[in-house]
Amino acid sequence: MATEQSKILVIGGTGYIGKFIVEGSAKSGHQTFALVRESSLSDPVKGKIVQNFKGLGVTILYGDLSDKESLVKAIQHVDVVISTVGLSQLMNQINIISAIKESGNHIKRFLPSEFGNDVDRTVAIGPAKSEFAMKAEIRRVVEAEGVPYTYVINNCFDGYFLATLAQCETRLTSPPRDKVTIYGDGNAKGRHCEYTMRAVDDLRTLNKTVYINPPKNIVSQNEVVALWESKIGKTLEKTYVSEEELLKKIPESPHPLDLLLALNHAIFVKGDQTWFTIEPSFGVEASEFYPDVKYTSVDEYLNQFV
C-alpha cells in the first residue's frame, strides 16, 4: 500500500512529457526537484516552463546527463528518480543508473523514460522497433544493477494520437474535419489517457509494470473517428491504407514520418497495446488500483476541438 510521500527528482522535465510529470508531482504534494540544463533558462519556451516550475514550489537543480557529478549530487536530494528524456537521450539513461548506484542505496524507485507501449511485449517493426529496443535495453540494465523500478505504460498520448485522429501529419493541431486516413481495417484498439503518478510510493507497484488502461479509453481508430463525426455532425471521407501498403511506405518515408507510420502500424494495425493479458507476475492496471483518480476520457478530450 501507499507509504509516506517521497521526494522526487524529474530528469528531462522541460520536455513534452516531463513538464506534466513535474507539475503532477508538485501538485500531488511531493517535494519535487527538476534537473535542467542552465542553457534552458535562455530558451524562451523552456525558460518559461522553468519559471512555472518555480511557481509550483519545485526546486530547480542544474546539471546534465553527461555530467555524472551533477547527477549524483541531484540524486542525493531525493528518494525517487523519474526520467522523461526523449528519444535521442534514451541510452544516456545508463548514466542515471550509474549515478543512482554511486549515490548509495537510498533510492526507493527509478522510473525510466517509458510512457508508451510495453517494449517487452511488442510486435513493432522498423524505427518503432529500434526505439523500443533501446528502452528494453535500459530495462535490462536497471534490473541487472538491482535498482528498484516501476515501468509506467500509458500507451498513446492524447496530444499525439487523439488530437489528430492518428493522422501522420505533424502540422495538425486538431482533428481533421474533411478527410481521414484509416490504418488497416481501423478495428485494432489502442489506449489513451492522462494519469497522475500515483504509483511511485505504492509498494504493490515495486519492480512491476504499471499499465494505465481505463476502460473508457480502450478504443479503435474507427471508434475515435465515429465519435468525432458525431460531435461535428459530419461524415469524414475515409482513405483506408492496407497493412501491405503501410509496410511498403514506412521504409520509403523520411524521418520522423517513418516513425509515426511504424507506430501506427504497431498500434492500429497489429493491436500492440491490447494483444496480451496483464498478469500479476509482471504488471498491474492503474485504474483498478486507483479507482478514485478522475481521468479524461476520449469523449471528454475531443470536446475541446468541437
Side-chain angles (χ1 to χ4, degrees), residues 260-281:
L260 295 175
L261 290 170
L263 287 172
N264 276 5
H265 173 264
I267 298 165
F268 298 112
V269 177
K270 307 304 287 187
D272 203 42
Q273 299 172 349
T274 55
W275 68 268
F276 60 91
T277 301
I278 301 171
E279 300 290 350
S281 60

Side-chain angles (χ1 to χ4, degrees), residues 10-303:
V10 181
I11 300 173
T14 59
Y16 178 80
I17 304 169
K19 60 180 179 289
F20 296 112
I21 298 295
V22 172
E23 181 177 340
S25 175
K27 288 185 176 180
S28 64
H30 290 278
Q31 187 174 349
T32 305
F33 299 76
L35 184 71
V36 302
R37 298 187 186 96
E38 287 195 68
S39 59
S40 296
L41 300 180
S42 58
D43 182 285
V45 176
K46 292 186 177 183
K48 187 175 181 179
I49 292 173
V50 171
Q51 288 304 312
N52 182 57
F53 289 166
K54 291 180 179 179
L56 293 171
V58 175
T59 300
I60 304 301
L61 303 174
Y62 298 104
D64 190 276
L65 276 179
S66 62
D67 181 357
K68 189 175 182 180
E69 183 179 350
S70 70
L71 286 173
V72 172
K73 187 176 179 179
I75 289 169
Q76 288 172 343
H77 288 282
V78 302
D79 311 300
V80 171
V81 179
I82 301 176
S83 171
T84 59
V85 300
L87 175 60
S88 64
Q89 293 185 304
L90 285 176
M91 294 312 299
N92 289 337
Q93 291 180 109
I94 289 175
N95 298 336
I96 300 175
I97 299 167
S98 178
I100 288 173
K101 296 290 290 184
E102 187 170 317
S103 66
N105 295 316
H106 71 287
I107 292 299
K108 297 191 296 186
R109 201 83 58 102
F110 174 47
L111 282 67
S113 187
E114 294 264 349
F115 313 108
N117 293 25
D118 185 347
V119 297
D120 283 336
R121 295 168 182 84
T122 182
V123 294
I125 63 167
K129 181 179 180 179
S130 298
E131 177 184 341
F132 294 169
M134 289 189 285
K135 291 183 177 182
E137 185 174 344
I138 291 298
R139 288 188 178 193
R140 303 293 83 82
V141 176
V142 168
E143 294 157 7
E145 292 293 337
V147 174
Y149 66 85
T150 296
Y151 305 138
V152 177
I153 305 301
N154 71 316
N155 299 295
C156 295
F157 290 108
D158 290 342
Y160 283 166
F161 291 91
L162 193 53
T164 66
L165 304 187
Q167 303 305 288
C168 291
E169 172 53 72
T170 56
R171 293 172 296 180
L172 277 180
T173 57
S174 63
R177 290 176 175 265
D178 297 305
K179 301 178 181 180
V180 64
T181 299
I182 305 293
Y183 296 96
D185 61 12
N187 291 320
K189 294 192 175 185
R191 292 156 172 162
H192 311 263
C193 61
E194 295 178 8
Y195 228 81
T196 57
M197 298 302 296
R198 283 284 294 273
V200 293
D201 286 323
D202 193 334
L203 293 178
R204 298 173 298 175
T205 66
L206 180 62
N207 297 336
K208 299 275 182 145
T209 300
V210 175
Y211 298 87
I212 304 176
N213 302 337
K216 290 181 181 179
N217 288 1
I218 302 176
V219 292
S220 69
Q221 191 180 12
N222 280 337
E223 290 169 336
V224 173
V225 170
L227 181 59
W228 175 242
E229 289 176 330
S230 70
K231 290 183 179 296
I232 64 174
K234 182 180 180 180
T235 300
L236 303 183
E237 179 184 331
K238 299 174 183 66
T239 299
Y240 287 83
V241 177
S242 69
E243 181 176 10
E244 182 180 3
E245 291 175 294
L246 189 53
L247 289 174
K248 181 180 179 182
K249 193 172 183 179
I250 291 170
E252 295 176 347
S253 300
H255 190 75
L257 179 58
D258 60 340
L259 176 58
L260 295 175
L261 290 170
L263 287 172
N264 276 5
H265 173 264
I267 298 165
F268 298 112
V269 177
K270 307 304 287 187
D272 203 42
Q273 299 172 349
T274 55
W275 68 268
F276 60 91
T277 301
I278 301 171
E279 300 290 350
S281 60
F282 64 79
V284 300
E285 202 287 302
S287 67
E288 294 179 0
F289 266 34
Y290 315 115
D292 59 307
V293 173
K294 186 182 184 306
Y295 62 89
T296 302
S297 70
V298 169
D299 190 352
E300 293 167 335
Y301 185 86
L302 287 174
N303 285 336

